[in-house]
Amino acid sequence: MAQLSRIGVSLDSELLDRFDTFITEKGYDNRSEAFRDLIRDRLVGTAVVASKAPVVGTVTLIYDHNTRLLPEKLADLQHDHHKVVISTLHAHLDHDTCLEVVVLRGRSGEVQQLAGKLISTKGVRHGRLVVSSPDTVLPHRHPRH
Ligand code: NI
């Protein structure tokens, strides 16, 4: 287990009230665990994670399957990176619109790069990558208080 360090944080009371309401709604037992999760989430979300760190991620894509060659391009990209793509879920939202969720696992750099290519493929209307870093998030989740 990593060594535990204590820090003091100054907050105005209104912000602290909002924070306490937030953590109660989310079901946290104490502020420390909530702080840790927020910090981890922020660090992972902003790619502070080293590019070689192992991560898992999901890319959500919304697109019109009638866009010329778009489904083929997205499938080609995924086949080109088949070692990073774990799984794909496809839902036909309506007559024209597709939702695709691509599950990725690999080094942070390659996951971000592939996600960027998928999201930036011409014709993709909306795309979003959510990354989780098993190394950062999973250990030390429940240190002794
Ligand atoms: Ni579809």
Side-chain angles (χ1 to χ4, degrees):
M1 181 181 292
Q3 193 184 335
L4 211 55
S5 300
R6 289 188 183 282
I7 58 165
V9 179
S10 302
L11 296 176
D12 67 68
S13 49
E14 195 213 319
L15 186 59
L16 185 58
D17 284 347
R18 286 169 56 196
F19 183 67
D20 284 341
T21 303
F22 167 80
I23 67 177
T24 303
E25 284 172 358
K26 296 288 181 188
Y28 286 101
D29 292 333
N30 60 64
R31 289 172 178 158
S32 292
E33 186 58 24
F35 266 119
R36 285 191 285 270
D37 275 0
L38 286 178
I39 291 168
R40 286 188 198 104
D41 186 54
R42 190 69 180 145
L43 290 177
V44 171
T46 53
V48 173
V49 175
S51 69
K52 289 190 173 175
V55 297
V56 291
T58 53
V59 181
T60 303
L61 303 168
I62 305 276
Y63 62 90
D64 183 334
H65 78 244
N66 298 310
T67 304
R68 197 172 163 272
L69 295 179
L70 180 55
E72 290 84 351
K73 283 181 193 164
L74 294 175
D76 284 349
L77 266 175
Q78 294 177 52
H79 280 283
D80 288 346
H81 299 84
H82 60 89
K83 286 182 179 166
V84 178
V85 177
I86 298 174
S87 180
T88 302
L89 176 149
H90 188 104
H92 312 297
L93 294 183
D94 59 31
H95 188 268
D96 304 309
T97 312
C98 299
L99 164 80
E100 205 157 288
V101 179
V102 186
V103 182
L104 306 175
R105 179 172 59 194
R107 307 218 173 261
S108 175
E110 60 190 355
V111 165
Q112 306 240 8
Q113 193 177 32
L114 176 55
K117 283 182 185 170
L118 290 167
I119 292 168
S120 64
T121 300
K122 197 176 173 205
V124 172
R125 290 213 305 257
H126 180 73
R128 174 120 195 226
L129 168 67
V130 175
V131 169
S132 213
S133 164
D135 267 9
T136 307
V137 177
L138 296 181
H140 326 307
R141 259 189 96 83
H142 299 288
R144 280 178 225 117
H145 303 298

Short mmCIF file of all heavy atoms in Angstrom, two decimals, residues 65 90-92 97-98, ligand 1:
data_model
loop_
_atom_site.label_atom_id
_atom_site.label_comp_id
_atom_site.label_asym_id
_atom_site.label_seq_id
_atom_site.Cartn_x
_atom_site.Cartn_y
_atom_site.Cartn_z
N HIS A 65 -25.48 6.18 -40.56
CA HIS A 65 -24.84 5.09 -41.33
C HIS A 65 -24.98 5.28 -42.84
O HIS A 65 -24.37 4.55 -43.62
CB HIS A 65 -25.36 3.71 -40.88
CG HIS A 65 -26.70 3.34 -41.41
ND1 HIS A 65 -27.79 3.15 -40.60
CD2 HIS A 65 -27.14 3.14 -42.67
CE1 HIS A 65 -28.84 2.83 -41.35
NE2 HIS A 65 -28.47 2.83 -42.60
N HIS A 90 -23.23 -2.06 -30.89
CA HIS A 90 -23.86 -1.23 -31.91
C HIS A 90 -25.37 -1.21 -31.69
O HIS A 90 -25.98 -2.26 -31.51
CB HIS A 90 -23.55 -1.77 -33.30
CG HIS A 90 -24.00 -0.87 -34.40
ND1 HIS A 90 -23.12 -0.09 -35.11
CD2 HIS A 90 -25.23 -0.60 -34.88
CE1 HIS A 90 -23.80 0.61 -36.00
NE2 HIS A 90 -25.09 0.32 -35.89
N ALA A 91 -25.95 -0.04 -31.66
CA ALA A 91 -27.40 0.08 -31.53
C ALA A 91 -27.92 0.97 -32.65
O ALA A 91 -27.36 2.03 -32.91
CB ALA A 91 -27.77 0.67 -30.17
N HIS A 92 -28.98 0.52 -33.32
CA HIS A 92 -29.59 1.32 -34.39
C HIS A 92 -30.66 2.19 -33.73
O HIS A 92 -31.74 1.72 -33.39
CB HIS A 92 -30.22 0.41 -35.43
CG HIS A 92 -29.30 -0.69 -35.87
ND1 HIS A 92 -28.11 -0.46 -36.52
CD2 HIS A 92 -29.40 -2.03 -35.72
CE1 HIS A 92 -27.51 -1.61 -36.78
NE2 HIS A 92 -28.28 -2.59 -36.29
N THR A 97 -29.74 6.68 -37.72
CA THR A 97 -28.72 6.99 -36.72
C THR A 97 -28.22 5.75 -35.98
O THR A 97 -29.02 4.92 -35.53
CB THR A 97 -29.29 7.98 -35.67
OG1 THR A 97 -29.94 9.04 -36.37
CG2 THR A 97 -28.17 8.54 -34.80
N CYS A 98 -26.91 5.67 -35.86
CA CYS A 98 -26.29 4.58 -35.13
C CYS A 98 -25.59 5.10 -33.88
O CYS A 98 -25.03 6.19 -33.89
CB CYS A 98 -25.23 3.89 -35.99
SG CYS A 98 -25.88 3.18 -37.50
NI NI B 1 -26.82 1.08 -36.97
#
